């Protein structure tokens, strides 16, 4: 039996008396795309950050590819895991190419290998090669987020963690970039865990949805499985939100055309 790519066993975390995670057990298979959803403060981002040790659990264990994440230095672990977040966090004084190359340089890649990787990644995230020499302030929000995805993929990680990666973008750019990332996930055989507040985004992009509340997993499965089996009123309301939005949108559009 193949070991999970990511596994949390009894993971708990408190912040100043607040229970952010309450003994979470979670297993993510290789190649899966998992969305973490739930209300603000439910523990989504904390859970995500325990995987790359940006948050250290108070109890329990996190394993990546079968090995405890605490078995080695946190910095080395993070170089093996791509991380994309809403603010992008590009270095303003570096060019696009230099931003993408940060982790490969830390890993000691040759200049030739880095240049080839940057060129390939710009193609992969659908950015013109001419953008390699630009600085982040010369890019649109969507372009900066594409550079953020390219940077996360630069060192050829098997795992990518995403924390509200498209939340600051306009709806059209968000939809396009989400669709493009989903294609990259499949093309590269990635294992992706994404935090999102947008239930429609979770349904459209993820293979599996994990619902958190008060630091605990309250539902876990495909969108279809959860719709068929969820009895918790809050979970059902969350799952039905995209349908309600679609119905209201149809009513509005029908009224506008009348």
């Amino acid at each position: 039996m193949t070991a999970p790519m990511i596994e949390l066993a009894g993971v708990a975390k408190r912040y100043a008396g607040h229970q952010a995670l309450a003994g979470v057990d979670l297993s993510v298979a290789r190649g899966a795309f998992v969305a973490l959803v739930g209300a603000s403060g439910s523990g989504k981002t904390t859970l995500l950050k325990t995987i790359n040790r940006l948050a250290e659990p108070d109890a329990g264990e996190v394993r990546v590819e079968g090995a405890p994440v605490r078995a080695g230095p946190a910095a080395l672990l993070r170089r093996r895991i791509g991380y994309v977040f809403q603010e992008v966090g590009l270095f303003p004084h570096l060019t696009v190419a230099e931003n993408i190359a940060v982790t490969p340089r830390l890993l000691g890649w040759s200049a030739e290998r880095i240049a080839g990787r940057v060129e390939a990644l710009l193609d992969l995230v659908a950015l013109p090669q001419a953008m390699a020499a630009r600085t982040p302030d010369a890019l649109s929000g969507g372009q900066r987020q594409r550079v953020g995805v390219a940077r996360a993929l630069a060192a050829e990680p098997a795992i990518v963690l995403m924390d509200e990666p498209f939340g600051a973008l306009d709806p059209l750019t968000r939809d396009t970039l989400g669709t493009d990332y989903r294609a990259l996930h499949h093309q590269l055989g990635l294992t992706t865990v994404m935090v999102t507040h947008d239930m429609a985004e979770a349904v459209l992009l993820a293979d599996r949805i994990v619902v958190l509340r008060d630091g605990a997993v309250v539902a876990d499965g495909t969108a279809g499985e959860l719709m068929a089996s969820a009895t918790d009123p809050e979970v059902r309301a969350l799952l039905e939100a995209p349908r309600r939005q679609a119905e209201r949108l149809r009513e509005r559009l029908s009224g506008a055309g009348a």
Side-chain angles (χ1 to χ4, degrees):
M1 185 176 177
T2 306
M5 194 65 165
I6 302 167
E7 190 172 14
L8 283 72
V11 172
K13 178 68 176 178
R14 296 186 74 87
Y15 291 112
H18 168 67
Q19 186 81 52
L21 294 175
V24 171
D25 295 317
L26 184 67
S27 178
V28 179
R30 183 180 296 272
F33 193 133
V34 175
L36 305 178
V37 302
S40 296
S42 60
K44 303 183 299 297
T45 293
T46 299
L47 190 159
L48 192 79
K49 289 181 175 180
T50 64
I51 299 171
N52 65 357
R53 293 185 64 188
L54 286 175
E56 297 282 7
D58 299 322
E61 185 174 70
V62 181
R63 292 183 285 273
V64 168
E65 297 186 87
V69 296
R70 287 181 171 176
L76 294 183
L77 173 74
R78 291 178 197 137
R79 291 172 195 175
R80 297 167 44 213
I81 298 175
Y83 186 51
V84 185
F85 49 100
Q86 183 173 319
E87 295 84 4
V88 188
L90 300 180
F91 296 107
H93 60 290
L94 300 182
T95 66
V96 165
E98 290 166 340
N99 267 284
I100 295 172
V102 166
T103 300
R105 282 208 176 93
L106 290 172
L107 292 172
W109 288 21
S110 69
E112 183 179 6
R113 184 181 178 191
I114 289 173
R117 184 64 175 158
V118 169
E119 183 177 339
L121 283 166
L122 288 174
D123 286 342
L124 203 61
V125 299
L127 287 175
Q129 293 294 325
M131 284 193 176
R134 298 183 188 176
T135 51
D137 63 352
L139 308 180
S140 69
Q143 289 168 339
R144 286 195 295 273
Q145 198 60 287
R146 287 180 185 274
V147 175
V149 171
R151 182 179 60 182
L153 297 174
E156 302 173 343
I159 297 170
V160 175
L161 307 178
M162 310 184 87
D163 191 1
E164 290 284 349
F166 315 125
L169 303 175
D170 66 85
L172 183 59
T173 302
R174 179 174 186 155
D175 180 62
T176 301
L177 195 48
T179 301
D180 287 351
Y181 179 79
R182 173 68 217 202
L184 285 177
H185 166 89
H186 177 72
Q187 179 183 341
L188 300 176
L190 300 170
T191 300
T192 300
V193 182
M194 178 182 72
V195 167
T196 180
H197 281 92
D198 187 332
M199 195 63 201
E201 183 173 72
V203 171
L204 289 170
L205 298 183
D207 307 313
R208 176 178 158 207
I209 297 170
V210 175
V211 185
L212 287 102
R213 183 172 62 222
D214 298 328
V217 174
V218 294
D220 182 356
T222 67
E225 289 168 348
L226 295 182
M227 282 299 295
S229 64
T231 56
D232 184 299
E234 290 183 27
V235 173
R236 286 209 66 85
L238 190 65
L239 293 167
E240 289 169 356
R243 181 181 297 169
R244 292 195 304 271
Q245 291 168 346
E247 289 171 354
R248 288 201 303 271
L249 183 59
R250 277 194 297 270
E251 289 172 4
R252 289 279 188 169
L253 291 174
S254 297

